[in-house]
Amino acid sequence: VKKVTNAGARRFGDSVRIVASSLLFLLISWLQMRAFAPWLSGVFAQLQVMVSIYLTVSAPRHGFYSAMALNGFWSLMTAFALYSQRDLTIAPGVAVPLCTMGTLWLLTRYNRRIALNFAEIVRGRAEIETLYEDLAGKDRELERQNLQLIAQNQQLTEQQKQLHYQASFDPLTD
């Protein structure tokens, strides 16, 4: 029940992060359109990149898709503005979201590879722990058998002494 609750809480948390980050991305986009100085557009574009990366890292699957959709939408909106206004200073606004999408794809790919490597490490560790437990059980078994052999050896030694005594001494002549 705890795993289901934790998974549900995680999904809810992911949803909240996705919605909040998407709204922040859209707010930054709106501010970028209203920017009165050209250098502010670059600052807002970098903020969009940071929000996109946060989306991808904080909610890996759905956050990635949301960030890709937001950047794709923003690139299309900027391309439409470039076409309608015929202002080439807008051109970097088309390239930045596309480059961000490529960066997000690479980030997601490497995150998956790291997750797979981590899962393999966890499986290896579990296997090593199992082997260690088996070895410890066999060690206990060997210890038990060793004690049993020592006891049998002592018993045989006592019997050998007794037989030697009986063979060497005659109780009638003593």
Side-chain angles (χ1 to χ4, degrees):
V1 173
K2 282 188 177 183
K3 287 186 179 182
V4 173
T5 305
N6 288 340
R10 186 170 29 104
R11 272 188 255 129
F12 178 74
D14 286 352
S15 298
V16 169
R17 281 190 290 276
I18 289 170
V19 169
S21 297
S22 297
L23 290 174
L24 180 61
F25 185 94
L26 294 173
L27 174 66
I28 293 169
S29 300
W30 181 79
L31 290 172
Q32 187 176 9
M33 288 189 311
R34 304 284 183 249
F36 57 87
W39 61 270
L40 277 177
S41 291
V43 171
F44 288 133
Q46 289 307 308
L47 289 173
Q48 287 173 323
V49 170
M50 290 172 42
V51 169
S52 297
I53 290 173
Y54 173 76
L55 261 171
T56 301
V57 172
S58 69
R61 185 180 201 146
H62 298 294
F64 169 72
Y65 294 131
S66 299
M68 292 295 272
L70 287 167
N71 280 287
F73 171 73
W74 187 245
S75 185
L76 288 174
M77 291 295 294
T78 309
F80 178 73
L82 176 67
Y83 177 74
S84 66
Q85 295 177 12
R86 307 240 189 265
D87 183 8
L88 291 179
T89 60
I90 300 174
V94 176
V96 169
L98 294 175
C99 292
T100 301
M101 291 169 71
T103 303
L104 296 177
W105 180 79
L106 287 172
L107 180 66
T108 300
R109 183 178 169 137
Y110 284 113
N111 277 347
R112 285 183 188 154
R113 187 175 298 163
I114 288 170
L116 290 174
N117 288 344
F118 183 74
E120 184 65 31
I121 289 169
V122 169
R123 274 193 300 274
R125 181 177 177 168
E127 185 177 332
I128 288 172
E129 287 175 357
T130 302
L131 291 173
Y132 180 74
E133 289 170 3
D134 289 346
L135 184 63
K138 289 178 182 179
D139 190 40
R140 286 189 296 272
E141 179 65 22
L142 285 174
E143 180 69 27
R144 185 189 63 76
Q145 288 176 354
N146 188 29
L147 291 175
Q148 190 178 20
L149 286 173
I150 289 172
Q152 287 175 349
N153 190 24
Q154 287 175 348
Q155 194 177 32
L156 286 173
T157 304
E158 289 295 322
Q159 288 175 353
Q160 183 183 15
K161 284 180 185 177
Q162 214 173 27
L163 286 174
H164 180 61
Y165 177 78
Q166 288 175 354
S168 300
F169 298 104
D170 184 17
L172 295 175
T173 58
D174 264 344

